[in-house]
Amino acid sequence: MSLTQWGALLTGCAALLLTACTVVDLDENGKPILPADPNAKASFDNQTPQQIAQQTWQARVIDAAHQHALDATALAAQMKTPAATPHSVFVRLTSQVARIDKRNEREQQLVVSLNGQPLEIQTGPVVRGNAIRDATGFKFEDFTNQVQFAQLSRAYNREAVKHLPKIDASWAGKPVSVLMALTINGGKAEDAVALELKQEAQ
């Protein structure tokens, strides 16, 4: 094979190699920026629980709550046939405020009537329980970093408080509509947390 033929062959091979390559952009550290796999499971590995809560608040909490919230009748039915293990749900309720519980300034509660029984709804600033996180459907195995899963409850609880109006004694005796998350445990509603709260006209 002549030198000219070798040159032509090498040029052809180089052209084939170049056409088979995909040009990838680099980030500020010189590492390739790879496009996200649309079939890959969402990864929260490099995010703090606060970042996860903020990024998923609208879709996983508020939108889901509006779409799937139980009313008082559906909630009562679930409480009458309790599951073997506690589970959390979203609930929408309109009721009169029986009282505002401010015995603990850091853990204030709004008390309403649910099917004739008092229901304490946490309004913060400190909120306890896993009701919001568990009602979203997040599971332990969704996280490779299980510390995030454990801390996500607190992050969601803090996020909820940020979106609530200021509650004071003037709310007592007035009708309110509340969107909340709560845990059903042994036929009882526990750890109810307000997500949206609005006074209704009397």
Side-chain angles (χ1 to χ4, degrees):
M1 186 179 289
S2 71
L3 192 58
T4 305
Q5 289 173 315
W6 272 112
L9 183 62
L10 286 173
T11 303
C13 288
L16 280 172
L17 285 171
L18 285 173
T19 55
C21 292
T22 302
V23 178
V24 176
D25 292 328
L26 303 178
D27 64 14
E28 66 273 12
N29 299 316
K31 294 182 179 178
I33 301 172
L34 300 175
D37 179 355
N39 300 314
K41 188 165 72 171
S43 172
F44 303 112
D45 289 352
N46 299 316
Q47 294 180 285
T48 66
Q50 290 74 24
Q51 289 171 327
I52 299 169
Q54 289 167 0
Q55 289 181 17
T56 61
W57 180 255
Q58 188 63 43
R60 293 293 293 254
V61 180
I62 298 302
D63 292 348
H66 278 283
Q67 292 169 14
H68 305 294
L70 305 177
D71 61 16
T73 304
L75 178 61
Q78 283 207 18
M79 290 168 66
K80 284 178 183 174
T81 55
T85 56
H87 70 286
S88 299
V89 294
F90 294 119
V91 177
R92 182 183 287 106
L93 180 69
T94 299
S95 178
Q96 191 172 49
V97 178
R99 71 178 192 278
I100 305 297
D101 187 343
K102 299 183 78 169
R103 288 173 295 178
N104 184 336
E105 285 292 327
R106 290 186 54 74
E107 297 181 14
Q108 297 177 36
Q109 297 178 333
L110 180 146
V111 183
V112 299
S113 177
L114 173 64
N115 300 317
Q117 299 295 318
L119 174 66
E120 298 173 341
I121 304 171
Q122 302 177 85
T123 58
V126 175
V127 170
R128 300 189 181 279
N130 303 317
I132 301 175
R133 182 199 66 192
D134 294 348
T136 64
F138 274 129
K139 293 183 174 55
F140 188 74
E141 55 269 22
D142 291 335
F143 296 81
T144 53
N145 176 356
Q146 269 79 34
V147 174
Q148 289 173 317
F149 180 73
Q151 294 178 344
L152 185 57
S153 281
R154 278 183 290 179
Y156 267 146
N157 292 346
R158 284 193 290 266
E159 191 68 21
V161 172
K162 290 197 301 189
H163 297 275
L164 296 176
K166 178 73 175 170
I167 311 297
D168 56 35
S170 69
W171 285 60
K174 295 180 180 175
V176 295
S177 62
V178 56
L179 185 68
M180 62 185 142
L182 58 78
T183 299
I184 301 173
N185 184 11
K188 295 180 180 178
E190 299 179 344
D191 297 332
V193 185
L195 305 173
E196 291 180 351
L197 201 53
K198 186 175 74 169
Q199 284 189 348
E200 297 292 339
Q202 287 181 296

